[in-house]
Structures are given as C-alpha cells and as structure tokens.
Amino acid sequence: MSSDKIDTGRTNRLPLMDDIAVRAGVSLATVDRVLNQRKGVRERTVSLVLRSALEVGYLSQEEYDLLVRPRPPNVVFLLPNGTNPYLRLLGEKVRKRADMRSRDSANIRCFFVDSFAPSALAAALRHHARWADAIACMALDHPAVREATAEIVARNKKVVAIVSDFAPAVRSAYVGLDNQQAGRTAAYLLGRFCRHQKGDVAVIAGSRIYRAHTDREMGFQSLVEEMYPELSIIGVREGHDDRDENYRHTLALIDHHPELVGIYNVGGSSDGIARALKERGRSEDLVFIGHGLSADTRRLLLDGTMDAVINSDPDLVLSAALAACGELSGDGSPPLAPLLKMEILLRENLPL
C-alpha cells in the first residue's frame, strides 16, 4: 500500500504503517500481512487492522472497502493425465479462466496428475493444499485419497469432486452428472438403436475405481436387464481412458464376439474405439454410445461412427466447481452443488 496520503490535520506528517500498528496493538509485520492480503492472520485481527488504517488516514474509504472484502480463494484443479480429450478440453478451459483473472476472482491453477495411482494423487492433494483454499478434482474413490481429503477438509479447506464423485463422507461438494442415470440413459439409447436385435453388447470403462464409471456401468446393466433381455452384456474392459488401450480392447471384442451389436464407452478416448471399428468395417452397423463432447467425438458423430454422446458442458462444470470452491452459505458451510444437466447429443443437434 502506498503511504502517499492526505494529511488528516492531526499531525504534520502522513500516516505510516507504524501508526496503524500502535493503534491496533499489533506488530508491524501483522499490519504488512493484512494490507497485502497475505494469509495467516485471524479475521478479527484483519478487521481491527483495517479499521485502524482507516481511522489514522492511511486508507481512504474506497481502499478500505476493497480490502475489507473477503480475499478471493486460491483454487487448484487436479485432473487425470492421459489422452482423454474431454478432460484435456476441461483443463484448457480452466487455464483460460485463470489467464482471464480479475482482482475479485479466484486465483486458479490447473495440474494433470496420475489419478490411477492413489498414493500419487493423495500426495498431490496434500502438496497443493499448502497453497490452495480449495481443490477441485476428479479423483479415485480410494482409502488413501479419502484420508488425504479428510485431512485437508479438517484444516477448513475445501475439496470438491468434479465429474466423478469420491469420499462423499468428507468431500465438500460434488459437481457432475447423476452417473447411474447417465448409464441407464445410454442403455435406453443403445437398446432403441438396436431395434430389439439379439446380440452382445460390451462396456469399456476407464477404471472401476472411478465411482462415475462404476455407477454408469451399474445403471447401464440394470436397464439392459430390465428392458432388453435379448441383449447380453459380455463384460467390462478397463482402458484407463487411453486411446491405444481402448483400440486393442475393441479389436479383441470384435474378433472374439461375432454377435457384437453395441459398445458403451463409460469413460473417454472414444477415438481409440472408433479406429478399431473402422479397421474391422463395423463403424456403420455397430451401435456406439459414449461420453464427453470434444473434437474427436464431434467428428465421430458427424461421420456416423458414434450414434450418441452423453455430455456435461465443461463450461458449466468449471463454473459450478468454482462456485462450490468459493462460496459459503449463511452458516459457513459449503453450498449444495446441484447435479449438472445431462445433454444427449446426436449428429443433428450438435452445438456450434
């Protein structure tokens, strides 16, 4: 803060930070931390220092009003690394929002981590919690991750689950789809597209350790059994949202299951599945449902390889996550984040 202030008339000199310290009964270092909005000072002390700065004339009313506002939160997004185009797109949008930051908006950072390694993810949560007031992440629902989350929340910081829920007993909020509903919707679409054709259907997941993928699989299976008994689910392959793994799984499915009529990809990297379908000449007759609108799934919808994409708008994911990270309700608890709207996208209703 500048000390170039108008003389109050009480002295022949401009008020200094020392005057604030004396009036507030705190150290000069504390005054410096408060005026520069650094962390580590109790709210009561912050209020006392700012009021003293106003009274001695060090701050104008306008400057006081700016500083008395709550400091914008430091927010870290932790996303799984790999070849999942939807998550890369979400990461790009997070970083773009960080670059557009204004004085009153959150300080945002985004990192890609190995989320298939629970110990590495738990270490990343603890590391970034040193700087962050809140962490938004798509994480594994694993004991090591739950333990790290509980430690962070106990320090009055927030951990917000995005896309896939985890640690529901301790995390601060969840932002994403109702994933069982998404799985049932995928099953309904696939069954309708198959027109009651008898045959096998396959499910490809990133990893069942993601709650979103497990919930989607459960929803899919329950509706197939309920409505389409002529379809047989031949098991779940885990491709870890990697296009090359998904490609190899799909080749094996086609080669070993000649009655295959449909594939549901509950995770990402649908381009790997599509490559195998095209190589085996099955891109036109096999029903393919997936998740996440990105450049690759848009192209696959347009050329007819994919029949439908279940999507949650990444801009809405980002905005809802930031709201959950930064807002408090009247009693000081995090707000209940609503489930996001599910979009069912076909070739004919793709957004521009």
Side-chain angles (χ1 to χ4, degrees), residues 53-68:
L54 178 65
E55 291 172 351
V56 302
Y58 187 89
L59 292 178
S60 68
Q61 185 65 53
E62 182 180 7
E63 290 170 326
Y64 172 81
D65 291 341
L66 285 173
L67 287 172
V68 80

Side-chain angles (χ1 to χ4, degrees), residues 25-77:
V26 299
S27 69
L28 188 61
T30 298
V31 173
D32 179 74
R33 292 182 70 84
V34 171
L35 296 180
N36 288 286
Q37 293 186 293
R38 298 191 183 98
K39 295 191 290 186
V41 184
R42 290 180 300 177
E43 288 300 318
R44 181 178 178 182
T45 303
V46 171
S47 177
L48 175 62
V49 169
L50 291 179
R51 175 57 62 181
S52 298
L54 178 65
E55 291 172 351
V56 302
Y58 187 89
L59 292 178
S60 68
Q61 185 65 53
E62 182 180 7
E63 290 170 326
Y64 172 81
D65 291 341
L66 285 173
L67 287 172
V68 80
R69 296 177 186 173
R71 177 182 60 80
N74 296 332
V75 178
V76 165
F77 282 79

Side-chain angles (χ1 to χ4, degrees), residues 184-194 228 287 289 308 310 344:
R184 288 179 63 85
T185 300
Y188 181 78
L189 290 170
L190 189 145
R192 295 288 290 181
F193 280 125
C194 284
Y228 304 114
V287 178
I289 311 290
I310 296 172
I344 301 174

Side-chain angles (χ1 to χ4, degrees), residues 283-334:
S283 61
E284 294 185 6
D285 68 306
L286 190 147
V287 178
F288 180 15
I289 311 290
H291 278 264
L293 182 65
S294 53
D296 65 318
T297 53
R298 173 184 287 273
R299 183 179 65 253
L300 296 172
L301 283 172
L302 289 171
D303 71 17
T305 304
M306 292 191 77
D307 295 279
V309 167
I310 296 172
N311 187 55
S312 52
D313 187 328
D315 288 310
L316 293 180
V317 173
L318 174 54
S319 296
L322 287 173
C325 286
E327 294 179 1
L328 292 174
S329 62
D331 62 0
S333 61

